[in-house]
Amino acid sequence: METVVPIPAVPFVPVHGTSAVFPVRRIYCVGRNYADHAREMGMDPDREPPFFFGKPADVVVPGGGDIAYPPATSNLHYEVELVVALAKGGQGIPASEALGCIYGYAVGLDLTRRDLQARAKDKGQPWDTAKGFDHSAPIAPIRPVSVCGHPGTGAIWLSVNGMEKQRGNLSQMIWSVPEVIAHISGFVALAPGDLIFTGTPAGVGPIIASDRVRCGIDGLGELEIRLV
Ligand code: MN
């Protein structure tokens, strides 16, 4: 097949402990899936359920590392999140069958231009420039379920320059991982290669150039980035 422009490279994330990689098809994200974070964003989690948005697949930063401070913002925020990597998909997946679709899990960062997000919220505009910018999804190597199991509980934390900023527990998620998969697959067909960022606990805040961000989840290792 002749292509009129070069075929775009498939983004990938390493798989922990092997030389194999996980190819990324789509990235879905859950908003306000921890009650304490919903409250710090000025929302009432009892009245507003979680919801979804997306990032382009090619904004992943496999393994973290140095990331350039992005343009067009002066309020870049960190959000540490449990990331689900799918081996199977489908439409209308019942929560009772959702765990069987999962290849593995990883620690991820949902980097956010909070100033652009606030402006978009004010004007009723989409979040793409706030959430879907280049290098906005650093992700640690994926751990297969065969190694890490299905983490339903465990600490999720983040520090900036050695100072702890976020600490929550996976058990605090409003929608559990099976519920997230069931909800999303009610709107779109999920497929192998999809990543789902499942939301962040309270404590989000700004980072600036030269900041070092470390984050982790019990049983899933750590992820580190440095803004340059
Ligand atoms: Mn998020």
Side-chain angles (χ1 to χ4, degrees):
M1 176 179 56
E2 185 189 350
T3 65
V4 295
V5 297
I7 296 173
V10 174
F12 64 85
V13 177
V15 174
H16 182 77
T18 83
S19 58
V21 296
F22 180 92
V24 182
R25 189 189 79 116
R26 291 182 184 168
I27 302 177
Y28 295 99
C29 304
V30 187
R32 297 181 207 135
N33 200 24
Y34 289 75
D36 54 358
H37 171 64
R39 288 190 197 97
E40 77 177 345
M41 298 302 291
M43 309 307 290
D44 179 354
D46 296 325
R47 296 183 55 180
E48 296 241 8
F51 57 93
F52 304 108
F53 57 92
K55 292 182 188 252
D58 68 350
V59 304
V60 289
V61 181
D66 287 359
I67 296 175
Y69 192 92
T73 184
S74 52
N75 196 18
L76 180 70
H77 275 212
Y78 52 78
E79 297 186 357
V80 61
E81 309 206 359
L82 171 70
V83 182
V84 178
L86 295 188
K88 292 183 204 160
Q91 207 170 339
I93 301 167
S96 59
E97 294 171 19
L99 291 183
C101 296
I102 298 173
Y103 171 75
Y105 296 88
V107 184
L109 275 169
D110 169 15
L111 295 178
T112 301
R113 289 162 163 159
R114 197 70 75 197
D115 42 2
L116 299 196
Q117 186 193 35
R119 203 176 307 162
K121 285 181 186 173
D122 280 351
K123 296 185 174 177
Q125 292 174 347
W127 287 10
D128 299 54
T129 59
K131 289 289 196 177
F133 54 94
D134 295 331
H135 316 302
S136 61
I139 179 169
I142 295 168
R143 315 250 171 165
V145 167
S146 57
V147 173
C148 68
H150 293 286
T153 184
I156 175 169
W157 57 271
L158 177 143
S159 68
V160 179
N161 304 323
M163 296 248 299
E164 188 168 285
K165 301 287 188 182
Q166 292 189 276
R167 179 168 289 275
N169 195 290
L170 299 180
S171 62
Q172 296 166 328
M173 292 200 297
I174 295 170
W175 284 347
S176 66
V177 167
E179 288 168 339
V180 165
I181 291 170
H183 277 283
I184 300 181
S185 71
F187 292 100
V188 292
L190 292 169
D194 288 347
L195 296 177
I196 305 171
F197 283 63
T198 59
T200 196
V204 299
I207 39 179
I208 58 173
S210 86
D211 277 348
R212 208 173 269 280
V213 178
R214 270 183 68 214
C215 52
I217 297 174
D218 281 354
L220 297 180
E222 296 184 3
L223 171 68
E224 184 168 340
I225 65 163
R226 191 174 58 121
L227 284 174
V228 295

